[in-house]
Amino acid sequence: MTTETSRAPIASRTAARRPIVAVLVVIFTVVDGALQVLLIERSAAPAEGRWAIPGGAVLHGETMDEAAVRKLAEETGVTDVFLEQLYTFGDLDPSPEEGSVGVAWFALVESASVRLAQRTAWRPEWWNLDDLPPLAFDNEQVIDVARTRLINKLQYTDAAYSLLPPQFTMRELQEVYEAILGRPLDKRNFRRRLLASDFIVATPEKRTDGRHRPARLYRFASRS
Amino acid sequence: MTTETSRAPIASRTAARRPIVAVLVVIFTVVDGALQVLLIERSAAPAEGRWAIPGGAVLHGETMDEAAVRKLAEETGVTDVFLEQLYTFGDLDPSPEEGSVGVAWFALVESASVRLAQRTAWRPEWWNLDDLPPLAFDNEQVIDVARTRLINKLQYTDAAYSLLPPQFTMRELQEVYEAILGRPLDKRNFRRRLLASDFIVATPEKRTDGRHRPARLYRFASRS
DNA sequence: GCAAAAGTGTTCGGCGTACACCCATGC
DNA sequence: GCATGGGTGTACGCCGAACACTTTTGC
């Protein structure tokens, strides 16, 4: 950053921390009406056997955004989804003498498009948000911030596009919203509000699946 | 962060960047109905002679929050004000070979309580937001993010408490809001909305200042 | 009494919420 | 024809926005 450092710009430099900078990616999906998060089982100390948010160091020649995109791709195989910076944690560190900074991001993925990395060590797995295993470090805190942000984002953005396939029914969309908000929504009000928002548009297509009236398919306007 | 790093946790560690982590503090105040930001004139390369957001390295034994509080106190003498993390920039760096990460914070201060650091080199000065000097690095971007966040915060929090003295008139409060939002507000609607919000409460006191009706003084409820 | 800022109420439109019935299809 | 989920309309309360006159003081 090389900005000034009050009285003694050079002197204070000697005391500057040179921590590892890591990115953490909180990856959410919605499956069967349940909000889930991707966690990795730690196969080595510290916190061996506990589960943690996927993350890793920012590499040389890489921006933080690129590191986040790479991490997401490594774990899920997906790119080009909702991914945005969340918060930077300075105190998640298991080894305080060295210092570390975790720049957390959060991502939304459609579960059908995900191919989880097939590892036995550092194994990734989806976990239901209201039934999490013991987490490493302060990862509960990070997930909590991410969840709050997600709920807010849903109110005024079309972030949900990233949780659904290109075409979907109103019911599927509503289930995603309900899973995230954690409460049931009124079908008529939901439909009216979403259509008025201009986030989604109707397609000419319908989908028949069962012995009942076929459902209109919609798509997100931003994904034309 | 010592989380896993995909296949080769140890190997990738060798390529990890060890950047300097700096905090930047975007310090806002409102003076005479104008939103201002505190900038520092750079007295050395890089970007000598340009103005920059106050900032500096996070020191050993210091959390990021503490570094932000310290920076704010060094420049303004104030503590115990609105201060919150904004965004982390990975690409503000003047020296890419070394790498640096800037964790930006933003603060709101009451101008009367500020005692600017008296330096001739790295001199701090208030600048009107719509009349900024040439800035170092990408500091315009940072200020822009901070301003947007401030506008949003104002809608649903009592953040303005930090821009006003303990007691103030409705007009003073409204001027702060107008300076930040950049547009005039209706006096009656403003009064009604703020009182309904429960952010502020009336005190028994009034202030007479001029040949007109004295104004009721209010205070923020959170600052009891 | 007059200049100057403080203080006060009502109307209207939009939006979120509550709520119940008909429609299209498969079997 | 009946079971199943898809699809639709109305009424109400709240909130933000627009808008003009009276009150209290100093001089």
Side-chain angles (χ1 to χ4, degrees):
Chain A
M1 208 46 28
T2 335
T3 47
E4 56 75 51
T5 48
S6 90
R7 258 144 241 173
I10 306 303
S12 67
R13 183 62 87 68
T14 59
R17 275 170 54 184
R18 302 288 293 240
I20 288 186
V21 173
V23 295
L24 305 181
V25 189
V26 182
I27 305 168
F28 288 119
T29 198
V30 174
V31 182
D32 295 335
L35 180 58
Q36 303 192 328
V37 63
L38 188 67
L39 297 175
I40 304 255
E41 187 180 25
R42 295 186 53 84
S43 297
E48 178 168 0
R50 302 182 89 94
W51 293 76
I53 298 165
V58 179
L59 306 182
H60 271 297
E62 191 179 52
T63 65
M64 284 194 315
D65 314 39
E66 288 164 352
V69 168
R70 173 176 56 81
K71 251 310 161 195
L72 176 62
E74 282 173 9
E75 298 302 335
T76 65
V78 305
T79 54
D80 194 32
V81 296
F82 179 95
L83 174 63
E84 116 178 357
Q85 194 184 303
L86 183 62
Y87 197 82
T88 297
F89 297 86
D91 51 356
L92 293 177
D93 200 327
S95 52
E97 72 286 6
E98 129 179 301
S100 81
V101 169
V103 182
W105 295 68
F106 83 112
L108 305 178
V109 302
E110 181 217 345
S111 62
S113 69
V114 168
R115 294 291 168 266
L116 288 187
Q118 295 295 326
R119 306 183 218 107
T120 51
W122 305 94
R123 184 173 101 258
E125 196 169 290
W126 291 112
W127 286 86
N128 210 307
L129 257 200
D130 39 47
D131 189 24
L132 293 177
L135 299 189
F137 319 132
D138 249 343
N139 281 185
E140 288 90 349
Q141 178 196 169
V142 181
I143 291 175
D144 221 65
V145 174
R147 183 181 205 169
T148 302
R149 186 86 143 256
L150 173 55
I151 289 172
N152 288 328
K153 277 281 159 178
L154 214 57
Q155 318 287 335
Y156 64 98
T157 72
D158 64 348
Y161 77 84
S162 204
L163 292 164
L164 287 157
Q167 299 199 332
F168 48 86
T169 65
M170 269 294 170
R171 166 167 289 266
E172 289 168 340
L173 182 60
Q174 185 174 340
E175 278 173 357
V176 165
Y177 272 71
E178 289 177 337
I180 294 170
L181 299 177
R183 63 189 161 91
L185 299 173
D186 180 85
K187 184 162 62 155
R188 285 164 291 189
N189 294 335
F190 180 77
R191 168 184 297 263
R192 187 175 28 245
R193 190 162 64 81
L194 266 286
L195 288 174
S197 76
D198 290 332
F199 291 160
I200 62 170
V201 294
T203 71
E205 289 164 67
K206 297 187 177 186
R207 182 197 298 157
T208 302
D209 74 332
R211 54 177 192 169
H212 54 81
R213 185 171 172 177
R216 166 85 47 194
L217 293 178
Y218 296 83
R219 60 177 179 79
F220 276 88
S222 58
R223 309 275 108 174
S224 60
Chain B
M1 205 46 32
T2 336
T3 47
E4 56 75 50
T5 47
S6 88
R7 257 145 243 171
I10 306 303
S12 68
R13 185 61 91 63
T14 58
R17 276 170 54 183
R18 301 289 293 236
I20 289 186
V21 173
V23 296
L24 305 182
V25 190
V26 181
I27 305 167
F28 288 118
T29 197
V30 173
V31 183
D32 295 335
L35 180 58
Q36 303 192 327
V37 62
L38 189 67
L39 297 174
I40 306 258
E41 187 180 27
R42 294 185 54 83
S43 296
E48 179 168 0
R50 301 182 90 96
W51 294 76
I53 298 166
V58 179
L59 305 182
H60 271 297
E62 193 179 51
T63 65
M64 285 194 316
D65 313 39
E66 288 165 353
V69 168
R70 173 176 56 80
K71 253 305 160 195
L72 175 62
E74 282 173 9
E75 298 301 335
T76 64
V78 306
T79 54
D80 195 32
V81 296
F82 179 97
L83 174 64
E84 116 176 358
Q85 194 184 302
L86 183 61
Y87 197 82
T88 297
F89 297 87
D91 51 356
L92 293 176
D93 200 327
S95 51
E97 72 286 4
E98 132 179 296
S100 80
V101 169
V103 182
W105 295 69
F106 84 113
L108 305 178
V109 302
E110 181 216 346
S111 61
S113 69
V114 168
R115 295 290 168 267
L116 287 187
Q118 296 294 326
R119 305 183 218 107
T120 51
W122 306 94
R123 185 172 102 259
E125 196 170 289
W126 291 111
W127 286 86
N128 210 306
L129 258 201
D130 38 48
D131 190 24
L132 294 177
L135 299 188
F137 320 131
D138 249 345
N139 281 184
E140 288 91 349
Q141 176 196 171
V142 182
I143 291 175
D144 221 65
V145 174
R147 184 182 205 169
T148 302
R149 185 86 144 256
L150 173 56
I151 289 172
N152 288 328
K153 277 280 159 181
L154 213 57
Q155 317 289 333
Y156 63 99
T157 72
D158 65 348
Y161 78 84
S162 204
L163 292 164
L164 287 157
Q167 298 200 331
F168 50 87
T169 65
M170 269 291 172
R171 165 165 292 266
E172 289 168 340
L173 181 60
Q174 186 174 339
E175 279 172 356
V176 165
Y177 273 70
E178 289 177 337
I180 293 170
L181 299 177
R183 62 188 163 91
L185 298 173
D186 179 84
K187 184 161 64 156
R188 283 163 291 187
N189 293 337
F190 180 78
R191 169 185 297 265
R192 186 176 27 246
R193 189 164 62 83
L194 265 287
L195 287 174
S197 76
D198 291 332
F199 292 159
I200 63 170
V201 293
T203 72
E205 290 164 66
K206 296 186 177 189
R207 182 197 298 156
T208 302
D209 74 334
R211 55 178 191 168
H212 54 81
R213 183 169 171 177
R216 166 84 48 192
L217 294 178
Y218 296 83
R219 62 178 178 78
F220 276 87
S222 57
R223 309 275 108 174
S224 59

